[in-house]
Amino acid sequence: MRAAPLPVRDGLGPARVRLRGGPVLAELAGRFGDAARTKVLAGEVVDADGEVVDDRTVLPAGASVYLYRDLPDEIPVPYEIPVLYQDANIVVVDKPHFLSTMPRGRHVAQTALVRLRRELELPELSPAHRLDRLTAGVLLFTTRRELRGPYQTMFARGAVAKTYLARAAVDPTLTLPRVVRSRIVKRRGNLQAVTEPGPPNAETLVELVAPDGLYRLTPRTGRTHQLRVQMASLGIPIYGDPLYPNVVAVPDDDFSTPLQLLAQRIEFVDPIAGSHREFMSNRELRHG
């Protein structure tokens, strides 16, 4: 993908807007209001070549312009992001609960990506994979743009061994360990992923490793909310889960009940160095 013509600023890259075609000022003002008009007139919007857009600029349908977004007011997530490992190519952190991996929706500055770009002064830092906002644990970033592809491909093709820990109730009638296979679908606009009939696309080994309800979860696929959906399907939803089995509204400033799910470990052969890598979280999960 072509690099954005504006640099990362304060940890955040520019927003890209794909145009419908015609006078740019009129289109941006019509779609985004006076704030966009002001940015154009102030010379703060550029095209894909980095040329400043003004009130006379006309661009064809499918062309893109770039501008820095106005950040929403966000509630600070009151947790540090410990660095487990850092070298010239990668940064591995122990992400806390309640912090999104990267900007999405109302979470922008209060994300692991933006905070780490600022704290480590690495403007090209990029996640090689993602953890849900409510899931804590090991998260790997690449330090430079040209490194993203090899590491993201490694995760996408399932070449990374992952182990999670979770806390949930104990059902003495449930036979464990077991491999849970199901078909999980997550549709745009729906908070919950759902299990549907059809060929399985999600597989997880579920083991009870302590009698007080500590589980080890070893996913062999990576569907959205896979572990949360499958644990709920067994009748033992993960403690602190506001989505499964039922949606519970939780204010953004309520950090009292973290989801008891931890990405404890990742292991892989480094696609650049060729060496074996293994990283472990230092976090512990509360008892239910």
Side-chain angles (χ1 to χ4, degrees), residues 66-93:
Y66 296 78
L67 66 157
Y68 295 109
R69 73 194 84 178
D70 293 324
L71 299 185
D73 292 331
E74 295 181 62
I75 297 168
V77 177
Y79 304 114
E80 300 298 319
I81 313 175
V83 174
L84 297 172
Y85 176 82
Q86 181 175 353
D87 64 20
N89 294 340
I90 63 173
V91 175
V92 184
V93 303

PDB file of all heavy atoms in Angstrom, residues 66-93:
ATOM      1  N   TYR A  66      -6.191  13.479   2.205  1.00  0.00           N
ATOM      2  CA  TYR A  66      -5.708  13.136   3.544  1.00  0.00           C
ATOM      3  C   TYR A  66      -5.768  14.358   4.436  1.00  0.00           C
ATOM      4  O   TYR A  66      -5.440  15.482   4.006  1.00  0.00           O
ATOM      5  CB  TYR A  66      -4.276  12.607   3.471  1.00  0.00           C
ATOM      6  CG  TYR A  66      -4.152  11.316   2.704  1.00  0.00           C
ATOM      7  CD1 TYR A  66      -4.160  11.319   1.305  1.00  0.00           C
ATOM      8  CD2 TYR A  66      -4.041  10.095   3.359  1.00  0.00           C
ATOM      9  CE1 TYR A  66      -4.046  10.137   0.593  1.00  0.00           C
ATOM     10  CE2 TYR A  66      -3.923   8.906   2.647  1.00  0.00           C
ATOM     11  CZ  TYR A  66      -3.929   8.930   1.270  1.00  0.00           C
ATOM     12  OH  TYR A  66      -3.824   7.763   0.565  1.00  0.00           O
ATOM     13  N   LEU A  67      -6.141  14.146   5.689  1.00  0.00           N
ATOM     14  CA  LEU A  67      -6.184  15.230   6.667  1.00  0.00           C
ATOM     15  C   LEU A  67      -6.091  14.639   8.057  1.00  0.00           C
ATOM     16  O   LEU A  67      -6.390  13.456   8.275  1.00  0.00           O
ATOM     17  CB  LEU A  67      -7.472  16.042   6.531  1.00  0.00           C
ATOM     18  CG  LEU A  67      -8.798  15.346   6.873  1.00  0.00           C
ATOM     19  CD1 LEU A  67      -9.859  16.369   7.224  1.00  0.00           C
ATOM     20  CD2 LEU A  67      -9.293  14.504   5.688  1.00  0.00           C
ATOM     21  N   TYR A  68      -5.664  15.455   8.996  1.00  0.00           N
ATOM     22  CA  TYR A  68      -5.631  15.018  10.396  1.00  0.00           C
ATOM     23  C   TYR A  68      -7.004  15.195  11.009  1.00  0.00           C
ATOM     24  O   TYR A  68      -7.616  16.262  10.896  1.00  0.00           O
ATOM     25  CB  TYR A  68      -4.593  15.808  11.190  1.00  0.00           C
ATOM     26  CG  TYR A  68      -3.172  15.554  10.729  1.00  0.00           C
ATOM     27  CD1 TYR A  68      -2.453  16.535  10.054  1.00  0.00           C
ATOM     28  CD2 TYR A  68      -2.557  14.334  10.963  1.00  0.00           C
ATOM     29  CE1 TYR A  68      -1.157  16.306   9.630  1.00  0.00           C
ATOM     30  CE2 TYR A  68      -1.260  14.091  10.542  1.00  0.00           C
ATOM     31  CZ  TYR A  68      -0.565  15.069   9.880  1.00  0.00           C
ATOM     32  OH  TYR A  68       0.723  14.835   9.455  1.00  0.00           O
ATOM     33  N   ARG A  69      -7.495  14.135  11.642  1.00  0.00           N
ATOM     34  CA  ARG A  69      -8.820  14.196  12.247  1.00  0.00           C
ATOM     35  C   ARG A  69      -8.777  14.968  13.562  1.00  0.00           C
ATOM     36  O   ARG A  69      -7.725  15.062  14.221  1.00  0.00           O
ATOM     37  CB  ARG A  69      -9.340  12.780  12.500  1.00  0.00           C
ATOM     38  CG  ARG A  69      -8.666  12.047  13.642  1.00  0.00           C
ATOM     39  CD  ARG A  69      -8.973  10.573  13.645  1.00  0.00           C
ATOM     40  NE  ARG A  69      -8.072   9.866  12.747  1.00  0.00           N
ATOM     41  CZ  ARG A  69      -8.078   8.543  12.583  1.00  0.00           C
ATOM     42  NH1 ARG A  69      -8.951   7.812  13.225  1.00  0.00           N
ATOM     43  NH2 ARG A  69      -7.214   7.975  11.769  1.00  0.00           N
ATOM     44  N   ASP A  70      -9.902  15.529  13.948  1.00  0.00           N
ATOM     45  CA  ASP A  70     -10.041  16.133  15.265  1.00  0.00           C
ATOM     46  C   ASP A  70     -10.363  15.023  16.256  1.00  0.00           C
ATOM     47  O   ASP A  70     -11.322  14.265  16.078  1.00  0.00           O
ATOM     48  CB  ASP A  70     -11.175  17.171  15.271  1.00  0.00           C
ATOM     49  CG  ASP A  70     -10.844  18.375  14.403  1.00  0.00           C
ATOM     50  OD1 ASP A  70      -9.664  18.765  14.369  1.00  0.00           O
ATOM     51  OD2 ASP A  70     -11.767  18.912  13.755  1.00  0.00           O
ATOM     52  N   LEU A  71      -9.561  14.903  17.297  1.00  0.00           N
ATOM     53  CA  LEU A  71      -9.716  13.789  18.222  1.00  0.00           C
ATOM     54  C   LEU A  71     -10.899  13.994  19.152  1.00  0.00           C
ATOM     55  O   LEU A  71     -11.123  15.100  19.644  1.00  0.00           O
ATOM     56  CB  LEU A  71      -8.435  13.608  19.043  1.00  0.00           C
ATOM     57  CG  LEU A  71      -7.172  13.286  18.256  1.00  0.00           C
ATOM     58  CD1 LEU A  71      -6.011  13.021  19.205  1.00  0.00           C
ATOM     59  CD2 LEU A  71      -7.386  12.096  17.343  1.00  0.00           C
ATOM     60  N   PRO A  72     -11.651  12.933  19.405  1.00  0.00           N
ATOM     61  CA  PRO A  72     -12.745  13.030  20.371  1.00  0.00           C
ATOM     62  C   PRO A  72     -12.197  13.098  21.790  1.00  0.00           C
ATOM     63  O   PRO A  72     -11.050  12.728  22.051  1.00  0.00           O
ATOM     64  CB  PRO A  72     -13.508  11.715  20.153  1.00  0.00           C
ATOM     65  CG  PRO A  72     -12.449  10.758  19.687  1.00  0.00           C
ATOM     66  CD  PRO A  72     -11.512  11.578  18.847  1.00  0.00           C
ATOM     67  N   ASP A  73     -13.010  13.606  22.707  1.00  0.00           N
ATOM     68  CA  ASP A  73     -12.646  13.533  24.119  1.00  0.00           C
ATOM     69  C   ASP A  73     -12.706  12.073  24.554  1.00  0.00           C
ATOM     70  O   ASP A  73     -13.688  11.378  24.293  1.00  0.00           O
ATOM     71  CB  ASP A  73     -13.608  14.370  24.967  1.00  0.00           C
ATOM     72  CG  ASP A  73     -13.460  15.860  24.703  1.00  0.00           C
ATOM     73  OD1 ASP A  73     -12.337  16.286  24.349  1.00  0.00           O
ATOM     74  OD2 ASP A  73     -14.448  16.593  24.840  1.00  0.00           O
ATOM     75  N   GLU A  74     -11.641  11.612  25.191  1.00  0.00           N
ATOM     76  CA  GLU A  74     -11.588  10.216  25.617  1.00  0.00           C
ATOM     77  C   GLU A  74     -11.255  10.116  27.098  1.00  0.00           C
ATOM     78  O   GLU A  74     -10.507  10.935  27.635  1.00  0.00           O
ATOM     79  CB  GLU A  74     -10.529   9.451  24.824  1.00  0.00           C
ATOM     80  CG  GLU A  74     -10.825   9.339  23.344  1.00  0.00           C
ATOM     81  CD  GLU A  74      -9.748   8.543  22.617  1.00  0.00           C
ATOM     82  OE1 GLU A  74      -9.572   7.360  22.933  1.00  0.00           O
ATOM     83  OE2 GLU A  74      -9.094   9.131  21.733  1.00  0.00           O
ATOM     84  N   ILE A  75     -11.801   9.092  27.717  1.00  0.00           N
ATOM     85  CA  ILE A  75     -11.482   8.800  29.108  1.00  0.00           C
ATOM     86  C   ILE A  75     -10.156   8.051  29.148  1.00  0.00           C
ATOM     87  O   ILE A  75     -10.013   7.008  28.505  1.00  0.00           O
ATOM     88  CB  ILE A  75     -12.595   7.958  29.751  1.00  0.00           C
ATOM     89  CG1 ILE A  75     -13.895   8.751  29.777  1.00  0.00           C
ATOM     90  CG2 ILE A  75     -12.198   7.520  31.160  1.00  0.00           C
ATOM     91  CD1 ILE A  75     -15.112   7.943  30.124  1.00  0.00           C
ATOM     92  N   PRO A  76      -9.149   8.558  29.854  1.00  0.00           N
ATOM     93  CA  PRO A  76      -7.854   7.874  29.903  1.00  0.00           C
ATOM     94  C   PRO A  76      -7.979   6.478  30.506  1.00  0.00           C
ATOM     95  O   PRO A  76      -8.679   6.277  31.498  1.00  0.00           O
ATOM     96  CB  PRO A  76      -6.999   8.787  30.793  1.00  0.00           C
ATOM     97  CG  PRO A  76      -7.676  10.116  30.748  1.00  0.00           C
ATOM     98  CD  PRO A  76      -9.136   9.831  30.611  1.00  0.00           C
ATOM     99  N   VAL A  77      -7.313   5.521  29.881  1.00  0.00           N
ATOM    100  CA  VAL A  77      -7.231   4.174  30.454  1.00  0.00           C
ATOM    101  C   VAL A  77      -6.081   4.192  31.462  1.00  0.00           C
ATOM    102  O   VAL A  77      -4.930   4.423  31.082  1.00  0.00           O
ATOM    103  CB  VAL A  77      -6.985   3.128  29.357  1.00  0.00           C
ATOM    104  CG1 VAL A  77      -6.821   1.736  29.970  1.00  0.00           C
ATOM    105  CG2 VAL A  77      -8.130   3.143  28.348  1.00  0.00           C
ATOM    106  N   PRO A  78      -6.370   3.967  32.747  1.00  0.00           N
ATOM    107  CA  PRO A  78      -5.386   4.241  33.800  1.00  0.00           C
ATOM    108  C   PRO A  78      -4.371   3.122  34.020  1.00  0.00           C
ATOM    109  O   PRO A  78      -4.064   2.771  35.161  1.00  0.00           O
ATOM    110  CB  PRO A  78      -6.269   4.437  35.031  1.00  0.00           C
ATOM    111  CG  PRO A  78      -7.413   3.517  34.813  1.00  0.00           C
ATOM    112  CD  PRO A  78      -7.662   3.544  33.310  1.00  0.00           C
ATOM    113  N   TYR A  79      -3.821   2.569  32.949  1.00  0.00           N
ATOM    114  CA  TYR A  79      -2.859   1.475  33.083  1.00  0.00           C
ATOM    115  C   TYR A  79      -1.681   1.707  32.156  1.00  0.00           C
ATOM    116  O   TYR A  79      -1.829   2.222  31.042  1.00  0.00           O
ATOM    117  CB  TYR A  79      -3.520   0.130  32.745  1.00  0.00           C
ATOM    118  CG  TYR A  79      -4.753  -0.162  33.561  1.00  0.00           C
ATOM    119  CD1 TYR A  79      -6.007  -0.228  32.959  1.00  0.00           C
ATOM    120  CD2 TYR A  79      -4.670  -0.361  34.936  1.00  0.00           C
ATOM    121  CE1 TYR A  79      -7.145  -0.485  33.700  1.00  0.00           C
ATOM    122  CE2 TYR A  79      -5.807  -0.615  35.693  1.00  0.00           C
ATOM    123  CZ  TYR A  79      -7.043  -0.672  35.073  1.00  0.00           C
ATOM    124  OH  TYR A  79      -8.168  -0.914  35.806  1.00  0.00           O
ATOM    125  N   GLU A  80      -0.502   1.311  32.622  1.00  0.00           N
ATOM    126  CA  GLU A  80       0.700   1.386  31.799  1.00  0.00           C
ATOM    127  C   GLU A  80       0.714   0.243  30.788  1.00  0.00           C
ATOM    128  O   GLU A  80      -0.047  -0.727  30.889  1.00  0.00           O
ATOM    129  CB  GLU A  80       1.939   1.313  32.687  1.00  0.00           C
ATOM    130  CG  GLU A  80       2.046   2.435  33.716  1.00  0.00           C
ATOM    131  CD  GLU A  80       2.148   3.792  33.059  1.00  0.00           C
ATOM    132  OE1 GLU A  80       2.874   3.914  32.040  1.00  0.00           O
ATOM    133  OE2 GLU A  80       1.507   4.734  33.554  1.00  0.00           O
ATOM    134  N   ILE A  81       1.609   0.361  29.803  1.00  0.00           N
ATOM    135  CA  ILE A  81       1.789  -0.695  28.797  1.00  0.00           C
ATOM    136  C   ILE A  81       3.228  -1.202  28.925  1.00  0.00           C
ATOM    137  O   ILE A  81       4.136  -0.678  28.268  1.00  0.00           O
ATOM    138  CB  ILE A  81       1.535  -0.176  27.372  1.00  0.00           C
ATOM    139  CG1 ILE A  81       0.245   0.646  27.299  1.00  0.00           C
ATOM    140  CG2 ILE A  81       1.470  -1.344  26.389  1.00  0.00           C
ATOM    141  CD1 ILE A  81       0.014   1.291  25.929  1.00  0.00           C
ATOM    142  N   PRO A  82       3.472  -2.208  29.759  1.00  0.00           N
ATOM    143  CA  PRO A  82       4.850  -2.692  29.934  1.00  0.00           C
ATOM    144  C   PRO A  82       5.420  -3.281  28.646  1.00  0.00           C
ATOM    145  O   PRO A  82       4.737  -4.013  27.925  1.00  0.00           O
ATOM    146  CB  PRO A  82       4.710  -3.784  31.006  1.00  0.00           C
ATOM    147  CG  PRO A  82       3.403  -3.521  31.684  1.00  0.00           C
ATOM    148  CD  PRO A  82       2.525  -2.922  30.635  1.00  0.00           C
ATOM    149  N   VAL A  83       6.664  -2.940  28.358  1.00  0.00           N
ATOM    150  CA  VAL A  83       7.365  -3.502  27.204  1.00  0.00           C
ATOM    151  C   VAL A  83       8.068  -4.780  27.661  1.00  0.00           C
ATOM    152  O   VAL A  83       8.902  -4.752  28.572  1.00  0.00           O
ATOM    153  CB  VAL A  83       8.372  -2.502  26.616  1.00  0.00           C
ATOM    154  CG1 VAL A  83       9.202  -3.161  25.509  1.00  0.00           C
ATOM    155  CG2 VAL A  83       7.647  -1.276  26.068  1.00  0.00           C
ATOM    156  N   LEU A  84       7.740  -5.900  27.022  1.00  0.00           N
ATOM    157  CA  LEU A  84       8.365  -7.182  27.347  1.00  0.00           C
ATOM    158  C   LEU A  84       9.669  -7.374  26.591  1.00  0.00           C
ATOM    159  O   LEU A  84      10.591  -8.029  27.081  1.00  0.00           O
ATOM    160  CB  LEU A  84       7.408  -8.327  27.005  1.00  0.00           C
ATOM    161  CG  LEU A  84       6.082  -8.373  27.775  1.00  0.00           C
ATOM    162  CD1 LEU A  84       5.175  -9.443  27.169  1.00  0.00           C
ATOM    163  CD2 LEU A  84       6.332  -8.660  29.248  1.00  0.00           C
ATOM    164  N   TYR A  85       9.734  -6.813  25.367  1.00  0.00           N
ATOM    165  CA  TYR A  85      10.915  -7.001  24.534  1.00  0.00           C
ATOM    166  C   TYR A  85      10.918  -5.932  23.449  1.00  0.00           C
ATOM    167  O   TYR A  85       9.861  -5.555  22.934  1.00  0.00           O
ATOM    168  CB  TYR A  85      10.900  -8.389  23.880  1.00  0.00           C
ATOM    169  CG  TYR A  85      12.043  -8.618  22.922  1.00  0.00           C
ATOM    170  CD1 TYR A  85      13.297  -8.992  23.376  1.00  0.00           C
ATOM    171  CD2 TYR A  85      11.862  -8.445  21.542  1.00  0.00           C
ATOM    172  CE1 TYR A  85      14.352  -9.194  22.486  1.00  0.00           C
ATOM    173  CE2 TYR A  85      12.905  -8.640  20.655  1.00  0.00           C
ATOM    174  CZ  TYR A  85      14.157  -9.007  21.137  1.00  0.00           C
ATOM    175  OH  TYR A  85      15.197  -9.182  20.269  1.00  0.00           O
ATOM    176  N   GLN A  86      12.121  -5.455  23.085  1.00  0.00           N
ATOM    177  CA  GLN A  86      12.236  -4.484  21.998  1.00  0.00           C
ATOM    178  C   GLN A  86      13.573  -4.647  21.315  1.00  0.00           C
ATOM    179  O   GLN A  86      14.621  -4.786  21.969  1.00  0.00           O
ATOM    180  CB  GLN A  86      12.098  -3.050  22.528  1.00  0.00           C
ATOM    181  CG  GLN A  86      12.193  -1.984  21.447  1.00  0.00           C
ATOM    182  CD  GLN A  86      11.923  -0.577  21.973  1.00  0.00           C
ATOM    183  OE1 GLN A  86      11.537  -0.395  23.133  1.00  0.00           O
ATOM    184  NE2 GLN A  86      12.135   0.420  21.142  1.00  0.00           N
ATOM    185  N   ASP A  87      13.543  -4.674  19.978  1.00  0.00           N
ATOM    186  CA  ASP A  87      14.779  -4.600  19.206  1.00  0.00           C
ATOM    187  C   ASP A  87      14.521  -3.707  18.001  1.00  0.00           C
ATOM    188  O   ASP A  87      13.532  -2.958  17.972  1.00  0.00           O
ATOM    189  CB  ASP A  87      15.310  -5.990  18.832  1.00  0.00           C
ATOM    190  CG  ASP A  87      14.390  -6.776  17.907  1.00  0.00           C
ATOM    191  OD1 ASP A  87      13.531  -6.164  17.229  1.00  0.00           O
ATOM    192  OD2 ASP A  87      14.533  -8.016  17.834  1.00  0.00           O
ATOM    193  N   ALA A  88      15.386  -3.761  16.999  1.00  0.00           N
ATOM    194  CA  ALA A  88      15.246  -2.860  15.858  1.00  0.00           C
ATOM    195  C   ALA A  88      14.012  -3.162  15.020  1.00  0.00           C
ATOM    196  O   ALA A  88      13.527  -2.280  14.296  1.00  0.00           O
ATOM    197  CB  ALA A  88      16.502  -2.939  14.988  1.00  0.00           C
ATOM    198  N   ASN A  89      13.480  -4.386  15.117  1.00  0.00           N
ATOM    199  CA  ASN A  89      12.378  -4.800  14.253  1.00  0.00           C
ATOM    200  C   ASN A  89      11.026  -4.892  14.942  1.00  0.00           C
ATOM    201  O   ASN A  89       9.995  -4.626  14.316  1.00  0.00           O
ATOM    202  CB  ASN A  89      12.683  -6.165  13.618  1.00  0.00           C
ATOM    203  CG  ASN A  89      13.850  -6.113  12.667  1.00  0.00           C
ATOM    204  OD1 ASN A  89      14.228  -5.055  12.179  1.00  0.00           O
ATOM    205  ND2 ASN A  89      14.455  -7.262  12.403  1.00  0.00           N
ATOM    206  N   ILE A  90      11.005  -5.311  16.189  1.00  0.00           N
ATOM    207  CA  ILE A  90       9.736  -5.563  16.867  1.00  0.00           C
ATOM    208  C   ILE A  90       9.712  -4.977  18.269  1.00  0.00           C
ATOM    209  O   ILE A  90      10.750  -4.753  18.893  1.00  0.00           O
ATOM    210  CB  ILE A  90       9.408  -7.076  16.941  1.00  0.00           C
ATOM    211  CG1 ILE A  90      10.466  -7.826  17.767  1.00  0.00           C
ATOM    212  CG2 ILE A  90       9.266  -7.676  15.549  1.00  0.00           C
ATOM    213  CD1 ILE A  90      10.119  -9.298  18.019  1.00  0.00           C
ATOM    214  N   VAL A  91       8.492  -4.723  18.726  1.00  0.00           N
ATOM    215  CA  VAL A  91       8.231  -4.350  20.117  1.00  0.00           C
ATOM    216  C   VAL A  91       7.118  -5.273  20.605  1.00  0.00           C
ATOM    217  O   VAL A  91       6.081  -5.399  19.943  1.00  0.00           O
ATOM    218  CB  VAL A  91       7.783  -2.880  20.252  1.00  0.00           C
ATOM    219  CG1 VAL A  91       7.402  -2.563  21.699  1.00  0.00           C
ATOM    220  CG2 VAL A  91       8.874  -1.937  19.766  1.00  0.00           C
ATOM    221  N   VAL A  92       7.348  -5.931  21.729  1.00  0.00           N
ATOM    222  CA  VAL A  92       6.352  -6.827  22.311  1.00  0.00           C
ATOM    223  C   VAL A  92       5.937  -6.251  23.657  1.00  0.00           C
ATOM    224  O   VAL A  92       6.792  -5.945  24.499  1.00  0.00           O
ATOM    225  CB  VAL A  92       6.902  -8.254  22.489  1.00  0.00           C
ATOM    226  CG1 VAL A  92       5.806  -9.184  23.014  1.00  0.00           C
ATOM    227  CG2 VAL A  92       7.468  -8.778  21.176  1.00  0.00           C
ATOM    228  N   VAL A  93       4.640  -6.077  23.848  1.00  0.00           N
ATOM    229  CA  VAL A  93       4.148  -5.454  25.071  1.00  0.00           C
ATOM    230  C   VAL A  93       3.149  -6.375  25.769  1.00  0.00           C
ATOM    231  O   VAL A  93       2.644  -7.332  25.193  1.00  0.00           O
ATOM    232  CB  VAL A  93       3.482  -4.085  24.795  1.00  0.00           C
ATOM    233  CG1 VAL A  93       4.454  -3.148  24.097  1.00  0.00           C
ATOM    234  CG2 VAL A  93       2.192  -4.242  23.993  1.00  0.00           C
TER     235      VAL A  93
END
